[in-house]
């Protein structure tokens, strides 16, 4: 079938002409799919292990549309965003987020993490990810408060004229987000666990990790507001921080302040709960690395003590909801004010088990999950084709593919997994790729046609289903019932 005809048909489905929740394939049978993956000669990086997995999935699953989407999405980070080289004989990898020519500490980690299990089969892939770790360390050393960076230090940020903050050379954007420092720890830790390789844990890593703990402590704001402030000349309230760039006050209680969410939107209250849970997990991982790799007991103790301090403070912030029972709030200020919602960006409340920040059977999490996936969450939206969590970042009635993938990745119910799979399959708007957000009744209306994190996370979800519940990938999908949590490799521990 010609690509133009394919796009026209799927656009009609997305626009709501075919309003059945099952999507367009019930009415239109496809014998083949158009080539939408970037040509081999134009790809930024090739992994033999990734290509072998794509071939295996294509050959073995019955749902050929899902196989086609996996073929397009899973390698999208490698195909389009990776700039790999050697600097001084050591790997260096700059990873852009997609349609924005800058590297986010969060996105770059999320984009390459799904490839880690394949590193033992592909030394070149392992070296590429080692390069990401080394590049992230360089970025943190430049400015631990920045969220996004340029490869070329001489490049001037588009925000230079409008942002009132300490913009250093090489910084694209300087929005302080706790998760920006958690994600590099997550990548380094899982790289070490999956490969046994300690090559990137050099003096730069030690300097960067020392800055991470220092910055977290500064943003506990026990002794004053700390050195960071940020305001932007903008008409969007979510793009600037009130009260002189320091945000609304928080009562010091051991939690870490975050002026921005993973969406790059400003927080309402400074204690962002999912990010603080992520910090606890990351600090525990950092302590283990200091002990076993860095051989520094004092640094390990400092990280572990801080993790315990934040964890204890988190035990005081749960909320008793009249409908759902005890749940996690999204944001608090320490004075009693709370914000009940969730945002599709990760760390989210929904995604806490994915980050191994809470156990998937935690009673408070399960209550919170029911709240998040209901219309009591102001950023949960339903349409005729899909339902899911959105974000203030993209406005009302726009849900995120990342949110649907994360719902599936954190589910222990095969029926729910299958529903997530179907919503992802039926909402790519004929492009063959995942997007940032889309209208749940008209998926042809979407934001960001090139968003590598969303693509790779979708690929991670399909790979998980392929390994653990292959029956869900048959065509047509079978009727399924709830099952207990699957047995999988776990690294659970708090500190």
């Amino acid at each position: 079938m010609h690509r133009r005809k394919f796009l026209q048909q799927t656009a009609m489905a997305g626009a709501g002409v075919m309003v059945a929740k099952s999507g367009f394939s019930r009415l239109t049978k496809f014998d083949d799919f158009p080539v939408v993956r970037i040509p081999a000669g134009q790809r930024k990086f090739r992994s033999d292990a990734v290509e072998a997995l794509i071939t295996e999935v294509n050959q073995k699953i019955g749902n050929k549309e899902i196989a086609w989407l996996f073929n397009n999405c899973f390698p999208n980070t490698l195909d389009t965003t990776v700039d790999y080289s050697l600097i001084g004989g050591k790997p260096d990898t700059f990873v852009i987020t997609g349609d924005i020519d800058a590297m986010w500490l969060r996105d770059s980690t999320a984009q390459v993490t799904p490839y880690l299990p394949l590193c033992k089969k592909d030394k070149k892939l392992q070296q590429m990810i080692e390069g990401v770790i080394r590049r992230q360390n360089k970025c943190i050393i430049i400015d631990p408060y920045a969220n996004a960076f340029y490869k070329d230090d001489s490049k001037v940020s588009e925000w230079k004229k409008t942002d009132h903050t300490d913009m250093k050379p090489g910084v694209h954007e300087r929005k302080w987000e706790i998760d920006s420092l958690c994600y590099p720890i997550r990548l380094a830790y899982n790289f070490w666990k999956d490969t046994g390789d300690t090559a990137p844990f050099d003096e730069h890593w030690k300097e960067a990790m020392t800055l991470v703990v220092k910055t977290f402590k500064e943003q506990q704001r026990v002794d004053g507001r700390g050195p960071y402030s940020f305001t932007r000349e903008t008409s969007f309230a979510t793009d600037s921080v009130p009260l002189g760039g320091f945000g609304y006050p928080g009562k010091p209680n051991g939690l870490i302040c975050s002026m921005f969410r993973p969406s790059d939107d400003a927080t309402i209250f400074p204690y962002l709960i999912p990010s603080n849970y992520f910090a606890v997990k990351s600090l525990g991982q950092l302590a283990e690395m200091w002990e076993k790799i860095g051989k520094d007991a004092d640094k390990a103790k400092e990280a572990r003590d801080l993790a315990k301090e934040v964890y204890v403070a988190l035990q005081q912030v749960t909320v008793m909801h009249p409908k759902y029972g005890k749940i996690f709030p999204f944001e608090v200020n320490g004075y009693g004010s709370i914000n009940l919602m969730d945002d599709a960006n990760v760390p989210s409340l929904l995604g806490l088990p994915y980050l191994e920040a809470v156990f998937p059977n935690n009673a408070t999490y399960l209550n919170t999950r029911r709240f998040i996936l209901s219309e009591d969450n102001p950023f949960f939206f339903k349409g005729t084709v899909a339902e899911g969590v959105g974000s203030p970042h993209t406005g009302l009635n726009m849900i995120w593919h990342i949110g649907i993938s994360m719902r599936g990745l954190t589910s222990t119910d095969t029926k729910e997994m299958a529903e997530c799979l179907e919503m992802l399959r039926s909402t790519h708007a004929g492009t063959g790729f995942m997007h940032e957000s889309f209208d749940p009744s008209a998926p042809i209306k979407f934001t960001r046609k090139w968003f590598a994190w969303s693509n790779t996370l979708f690929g991670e979800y399909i790979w998980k289903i392929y390994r653990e519940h292959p029956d869900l990938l048959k065509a047509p999908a079978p009727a399924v019932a709830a099952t207990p949590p699957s047995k999988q490799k776990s690294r659970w521990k708090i500190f």
Side-chain angles (χ1 to χ4, degrees), residues 92-226:
D92 179 88
T93 310
F94 190 83
V95 182
I96 63 172
T97 184
D99 51 14
I100 304 174
D101 187 26
M103 175 169 163
W104 266 254
L105 294 174
R106 169 183 55 257
D107 291 40
S108 59
T109 292
Q111 286 167 242
V112 302
T113 293
Y115 305 130
L116 283 173
L118 297 172
C119 283
K120 287 185 177 179
K121 299 178 180 179
D122 190 336
K123 187 67 176 179
K124 184 179 175 184
L125 180 66
Q126 180 176 326
Q127 291 172 337
M128 185 277 289
I129 297 178
E130 176 188 339
V132 179
I133 296 170
R134 291 183 181 276
R135 170 59 65 166
Q136 289 179 339
N137 293 336
K138 292 177 184 178
C139 292
I140 293 169
I141 291 168
I142 291 171
D143 186 357
Y145 282 104
N147 57 321
F149 300 81
Y150 292 120
K151 184 175 184 180
D152 182 357
D153 289 353
S154 66
K155 189 170 182 179
V156 178
S157 171
E158 63 185 282
W159 306 116
K160 182 73 173 178
K161 293 182 180 179
T162 60
D163 290 3
H164 302 290
T165 190
D166 185 13
M167 290 287 284
K168 295 177 174 64
V171 170
H172 167 71
E173 192 171 49
R174 193 174 189 254
K175 289 181 171 179
W176 162 238
E177 302 160 357
I178 292 173
D179 67 282
S180 290
L181 298 185
C182 295
Y183 271 108
I185 296 172
R186 172 177 166 82
L187 179 61
Y189 182 84
N190 288 321
F191 175 84
W192 169 48
K193 288 295 185 179
D194 282 331
T195 68
D197 188 355
T198 60
F201 299 89
D202 57 11
E203 294 305 312
H204 286 101
W205 177 81
K206 292 178 181 179
E207 182 180 357
M209 294 305 103
T210 299
L211 280 171
V212 167
V213 175
K214 177 177 180 290
T215 304
F216 282 164
K217 286 185 172 182
E218 287 173 348
Q219 289 308 307
Q220 285 181 302
R221 297 190 178 183
V222 175
D223 300 313
R225 298 182 297 184

Side-chain angles (χ1 to χ4, degrees), residues 36 40 125 258 340 345:
V36 295
L125 180 66
S258 188
L340 297 182
N345 290 271

Side-chain angles (χ1 to χ4, degrees), residues 308-453:
K308 291 178 179 178
E309 188 176 345
V310 177
Y311 181 76
V312 168
L314 284 168
Q315 306 316 299
Q316 312 304 314
V317 301
T318 52
V319 175
M320 185 57 69
H321 193 283
K323 184 174 179 181
Y324 300 98
K326 189 165 72 170
I327 66 172
F328 298 123
F330 188 64
E331 296 169 347
V332 301
N333 66 359
Y335 290 100
S337 300
I338 58 173
N339 180 12
L340 297 182
M341 58 168 281
D342 201 20
D343 189 304
N345 290 271
V346 185
S348 59
L349 294 173
L350 181 65
L352 289 177
Y354 172 80
L355 298 171
E356 297 181 328
V358 302
F359 289 99
N361 61 351
N362 178 288
T364 304
Y365 170 75
L366 293 175
N367 290 342
T368 307
R369 184 183 181 92
R370 290 191 297 115
F371 161 76
I372 292 165
L373 300 175
S374 77
E375 292 178 277
D376 292 316
N377 171 12
F379 290 95
F380 178 83
F381 307 112
K382 284 187 176 183
T384 56
V385 181
E387 65 177 32
V389 183
S391 169
H393 193 71
T394 47
L396 299 177
N397 202 41
M398 297 290 283
I399 66 177
W400 283 52
H401 278 131
I402 283 178
I404 298 174
S405 294
M406 190 54 60
R407 179 179 180 178
L409 283 163
T410 56
S411 179
T412 58
D413 182 337
T414 52
K415 182 176 184 295
E416 183 178 35
M417 294 175 198
E419 290 170 350
C420 291
L421 194 65
E422 177 60 17
M423 287 190 287
L424 291 164
R425 185 205 62 77
S426 62
T427 58
H428 60 85
T431 66
F433 294 99
M434 299 295 109
H435 306 122
E436 180 187 49
S437 68
F438 64 93
D439 186 317
S441 293
I444 194 66
K445 177 185 176 184
F446 62 81
T447 61
R448 297 190 70 178
K449 63 181 180 180
W450 178 22
F451 187 22
W453 178 12

